[in-house]
């Protein structure tokens, strides 16, 4: 095989290796993006659940204080 033929094969192999590396990098970035999105959705859901719990507890506490006020004669 001549030197030029070998050089051409080498360049072709290097190009294909670079293409594969680029594709792998792109796939890895997509995985990271998906994981980030999933994590953000989980955090958003946890925050909403916590907020709902706080609102429910606040409502129950308000009702309890109101009921206590009525029992003590502060409210009618």
């Amino acid at each position: 095989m001549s030197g030029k033929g070998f050089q051409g094969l080498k360049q072709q192999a290097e190009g294909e290796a670079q293409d594969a590396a680029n594709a792998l990098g792109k796939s890895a970035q997509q995985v990271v993006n998906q994981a980030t999105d999933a994590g953000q959705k989980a955090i958003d859901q946890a925050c909403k659940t916590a907020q709902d719990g706080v609102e429910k507890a606040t409502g129950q506490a308000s009702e309890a204080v109101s009921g206590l006020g009525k029992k003590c004669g502060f409210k009618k």
Side-chain angles (χ1 to χ4, degrees):
M1 179 176 277
S2 70
K4 285 186 176 183
F6 179 75
Q7 186 65 27
L9 287 175
K10 180 182 173 192
Q11 288 175 345
Q12 181 180 356
E14 288 172 348
E16 289 176 3
Q18 186 62 50
D19 290 346
N22 290 342
L24 180 60
K26 185 176 180 180
S27 295
Q29 186 61 52
Q30 288 174 342
V31 169
V32 168
N33 291 345
Q34 289 173 352
T36 300
D37 290 347
Q40 186 61 52
K41 286 178 184 178
I43 290 169
D44 290 346
Q45 184 60 42
C47 289
K48 183 181 180 323
T49 301
Q51 183 178 359
D52 290 347
V54 168
E55 289 173 0
K56 184 176 179 180
T58 301
Q60 290 173 343
S62 178
E63 289 175 15
V65 170
S66 178
L68 180 61
K70 287 179 185 177
K71 286 183 181 180
C72 293
F74 298 129
K75 292 186 175 183
K76 292 185 178 182

